[in-house]
Amino acid sequence: MGKTLSEKILSQKSGSDARAGDIVVAQVDLAFVQDGTGPLALRQLAESGIEGVADPKQVAFFLDHASPSPNRELSQDHALLRHFALKNGVQLWDIGEGVCHQLVVESYASPGEVIVGADSHTVTAGALAAFATGMGSTDVAIAIALGRTWLRVPESFRVVLRGKFKKGVYAKDLILHLIGKLGADGATYKALEFCGRGVTGMGMSERFTIANMAVEAGAKVGLFPADETTRAYLESRGRGERFRLLRPDPDANYEETIEVDLEGLEPTVSMPHAVDNIVLAKELKGEKVEQVFIGTCTNGRLEDLAVAARILKGKRRHPSVRLLVAPASRGVLMEAMAAGYVKDLLEAGAAILPPGCGPCVGIHQGVLGDGERCLSTANRNFRGRMGNPEGFIYLGSPATAAATAIAGEIIDPREMM
Amino acid sequence: MLKGRAFKFGDNISTDDIAPGRWFHLRSNLPELAKHLLEDVHPGFTSGVRPGDFIVAGKNFGLGSSREHAAVIIKMAGVAAILARSAARIFFRNAINVGLPVLICDTDKINDGDELEVDLEGRKVKDITNGAELSIGKFPEVMLKILDEGGLVPYIKKYKDFEIP
Ligand code: SF4
């Protein structure tokens, strides 16, 4: 019988005939940590008695969560990571470079690779047909030390996308809709493998948004086939030679098939405090917000800022709404400046934050006050996520965010387009 | 055989609930971070829990971020095992890696405060208070071995590599 994308990649990387349910030891092409998970990984590495790293070129550190550091404790953690990186020849992406997952897809990930990151949204690189999955500090520490990890080959859900998005509807609306359908644990331990005409018509940025949130349905990985769009992206990033066509076999075995007609989707919002708590944006009309945040590894790319800038250009944020924008990487910020988006956003009243996670995880920058509501383009709205358990987080697309910033209340962005 | 009391939680307890992000700066100071364990969902948990007690939860325990600190501080609080109807993937693996058993069983039958007896080898849970007996779901051999050694670091120290047949 044929193989799913997961089975193909893990067969190759483990040198075995890997099938769903098997336990394999796979070669790891990239193991990475960020500033929140890295210090524990380094302490565990030291504990394990293994000196140094298997191959420094296959390891990366990112200082993105607390970037720049807001306090002494985190400055010490940053120093620890910088020191280790320097000593072991590991590339460290310092503050201001961007969110780890964005930098991984810009500079590392390629089809057929295995990537493990000490961050749950490592799944983002699945959009490039890499088997990319999040793990904890100790697992990644051992992957750094050995260049290998153990994995259970997941069963796959085949997600068939048909048609095209209507105007004002985006990849974020699709993935929120899908998580609503599956539930927050509907795909636990499974691979989501996307296919269909809808995928062919989709740009890389949209695929990143979708793969990024696979973990919000519990999935281990969110995989896209490697096609001409993948090739063009890798060429634009100077990695054209690492492209190869990769798709599942036609007779692969799937645990489930889910079909989504993109045509039928509408702007969608996830309500506090669960990602699968989905409604249509128009149903929330009149729900006031105090803050709008555009950014993160989900929706902080150039295409996202372009959508927001187009809606906000020549307009102003509502006087009672704070508008925060954190580009996902330095490259994104530079391109957004060249395209004039940064000017449009600033003129509309936005505060531009340094590339990085920004207010996403409640460490600094844009922590909510008691009872305050935020419409965010991030991937999680758990209670306390943005630093205050008395805050309320709604998730939506960059278009919904931009329109909400103008209206001062949640609104279907098509009313502003 | 493990013996202790049940502290009952609902579904979808996230790692933000277990180790809130606002205490991010305490991640290299685990004893301090541990003081905030579960404080938003169960205020006073850390002062009530005794070594050997169990966290008993519904489905999808530990969803969200990969922060292993969540599993570490549960273990530091003296919790002997987590019993849940299901657990999120990364949390499950993290817990085993730090030597904290996560046992999948039908926790609906257990009430808050019940006395439990857990037989890890026999894969059985007995609720002494109400007499219910539950069986524990299986997990992969490699995880059992890691758990046997007390976590992934001692496992690697002993075997130097992954021992997978
Ligand atoms: S942007 Fe948010 S979700 Fe993405 S890596 Fe940073 S903290 Fe995590």
Side-chain angles (χ1 to χ4, degrees):
Chain A
M1 198 194 307
K3 288 183 174 171
T4 62
L5 265 178
S6 305
E7 289 169 333
K8 273 195 176 176
I9 298 170
L10 294 180
S11 291
Q12 201 176 30
K13 290 293 173 182
S14 67
S16 69
D17 179 28
R19 298 287 176 172
D22 291 352
I23 304 284
V24 298
V25 177
Q27 296 296 323
V28 171
D29 296 282
L30 176 69
F32 72 90
V33 298
Q34 34 89 340
D35 44 351
T37 55
L40 179 57
L42 296 189
R43 288 196 293 272
Q44 295 291 68
L45 194 57
E47 259 301 284
S48 77
I50 302 177
E51 284 283 323
V53 307
D55 179 356
K57 284 192 297 301
Q58 297 187 323
V59 179
F61 293 177
F62 301 91
L63 308 187
D64 55 354
H65 280 57
S67 172
S69 163
N71 55 42
R72 181 180 176 181
E73 291 89 342
L74 290 168
S75 300
Q76 292 298 102
D77 283 348
H78 283 187
L80 180 74
L81 290 164
R82 287 193 192 100
H83 179 78
F84 183 98
L86 199 62
K87 191 168 147 224
N88 292 280
V90 167
Q91 169 117 37
L92 176 132
W93 299 74
D94 217 311
I95 60 139
E97 293 300 334
V99 183
C100 53
H101 310 300
Q102 179 62 19
L103 297 168
V104 165
V105 299
E106 286 180 5
S107 300
Y108 294 93
S110 307
E113 292 184 343
V114 170
I115 296 177
V116 297
D119 190 284
S120 57
H121 294 105
T122 301
V123 287
T124 312
L128 289 167
F131 192 95
T133 192
M135 292 182 170
S137 299
T138 306
D139 268 321
V140 175
I142 300 305
I144 288 172
L146 300 179
R148 289 186 293 284
T149 193
W150 76 269
L151 290 163
R152 179 181 178 280
V153 184
E155 294 81 14
S156 295
F157 286 4
R158 182 164 173 257
V159 186
V160 189
L161 305 180
R162 301 194 195 290
K164 274 204 165 83
F165 292 118
K166 286 190 302 208
K167 187 175 154 54
V169 183
Y170 299 90
K172 182 62 161 290
D173 301 304
L174 160 68
I175 190 65
L176 291 177
H177 168 85
L178 187 65
I179 293 161
K181 217 162 132 160
L182 286 166
D185 63 347
T188 299
Y189 304 109
K190 311 297 178 191
L192 295 181
E193 299 198 7
F194 297 90
C195 64
R197 282 274 170 76
V199 167
T200 319
M202 227 174 239
M204 272 323 300
S205 179
E206 296 171 283
R207 298 181 190 187
F208 292 138
T209 299
I210 295 166
N212 174 271
M213 290 193 69
V215 67
E216 306 315 330
K220 182 172 195 159
V221 63
L223 282 165
F224 281 76
D227 60 9
E228 288 310 315
T229 305
T230 323
R231 184 203 298 272
Y233 179 82
L234 290 173
E235 277 169 0
S236 79
R237 302 297 322 170
R239 299 203 299 285
E241 81 292 347
R242 299 205 357 227
F243 173 77
R244 62 188 179 98
L245 276 175
L246 194 60
R247 56 180 70 250
D249 292 327
D251 57 343
N253 192 25
Y254 297 93
E255 186 168 312
E256 245 181 73
T257 295
I258 298 155
E259 304 200 15
V260 184
D261 177 14
L262 303 186
E263 216 92 30
L265 298 175
E266 293 195 62
T268 300
V269 169
S270 155
M271 295 193 299
H273 299 289
V275 185
D276 58 0
N277 193 9
I278 298 301
V279 288
L280 296 182
K282 63 184 181 197
E283 294 173 59
L284 288 174
K285 201 172 161 61
E287 183 70 27
K288 293 209 172 357
V289 304
E290 287 75 24
Q291 181 165 303
V292 167
F293 170 43
I294 300 172
T296 79
C297 53
T298 317
N299 279 125
R301 275 174 285 281
L302 186 68
E303 292 77 356
D304 301 314
L305 301 190
V307 167
R310 247 177 262 131
I311 293 173
L312 283 155
K313 190 180 168 82
K315 303 223 172 66
R316 281 292 291 180
R317 65 176 171 84
H318 190 277
S320 58
V321 174
R322 312 179 290 268
L323 173 58
L324 308 178
V325 179
S329 73
R330 179 191 297 280
V332 167
L333 175 55
M334 286 174 63
E335 284 184 70
M337 279 170 56
Y341 305 147
V342 172
K343 182 165 176 284
D344 296 339
L345 293 168
L346 284 168
E347 283 175 352
I352 308 285
L353 304 176
C357 299
C360 181
V361 65
I363 301 164
H364 61 354
Q365 301 175 346
V367 171
L368 298 177
D370 290 0
E372 284 190 337
R373 291 150 294 185
C374 177
L375 190 293
S376 163
T377 66
N379 42 37
R380 280 193 182 134
N381 58 354
F382 302 147
R383 187 159 175 242
R385 174 79 186 176
M386 288 179 79
N388 183 349
E390 303 306 327
F392 298 86
I393 308 165
Y394 294 82
L395 306 176
S397 74
T400 303
T404 297
I406 297 167
E409 57 184 53
I410 298 176
I411 183 173
D412 186 319
R414 293 173 297 191
E415 287 192 36
M416 297 259 178
M417 293 171 97
Chain B
M1 189 79 75
L2 305 171
K3 257 185 166 176
R5 298 170 303 163
F7 280 77
K8 189 94 191 252
F9 291 84
D11 294 338
N12 293 314
I13 298 294
S14 74
T15 51
D16 278 285
D17 292 324
I18 301 167
R22 64 180 177 283
W23 304 114
F24 193 96
H25 60 287
L26 298 178
R27 288 184 183 186
S28 285
N29 186 353
L30 292 167
E32 274 304 308
L33 184 66
K35 291 184 183 162
H36 302 284
L37 173 62
L38 288 161
E39 68 184 5
D40 294 336
V41 276
H42 193 316
F45 176 76
T46 47
S47 50
V49 71
R50 287 198 302 255
D53 285 342
F54 302 101
I55 284 178
V56 178
K59 61 173 188 162
N60 210 16
F61 187 84
L63 80 158
S65 126
S66 69
R67 63 189 77 153
E68 189 170 313
H69 316 74
V72 174
I73 60 176
I74 291 176
K75 190 165 183 214
M76 285 175 70
V79 170
I82 294 164
L83 282 60
R85 269 174 51 214
S86 66
R89 188 186 66 80
I90 303 176
F91 179 84
F92 187 82
R93 204 165 151 145
N94 283 344
I96 304 297
N97 283 345
V98 303
L100 173 69
V102 179
L103 310 172
I104 304 303
C105 55
D106 179 11
T107 53
D108 283 355
K109 300 205 174 95
I110 304 173
N111 299 312
D112 191 47
D114 285 0
E115 290 286 335
L116 306 181
E117 224 173 60
V118 174
D119 174 4
L120 280 178
E121 264 100 79
R123 312 201 65 71
K124 279 200 299 275
V125 177
K126 183 160 186 193
D127 187 321
I128 314 252
T129 311
N130 67 16
E133 293 201 24
L134 317 168
S135 59
I136 300 170
K138 279 206 197 124
F139 47 74
E141 192 65 29
V142 54
M143 286 189 135
L144 280 177
K145 270 200 173 166
I146 291 170
L147 202 51
D148 272 352
E149 296 304 324
L152 183 57
V153 165
Y155 171 96
I156 289 291
K157 262 186 166 162
K158 178 162 168 185
Y159 296 104
K160 311 284 176 226
D161 205 337
F162 296 108
E163 289 275 304
I164 288 174

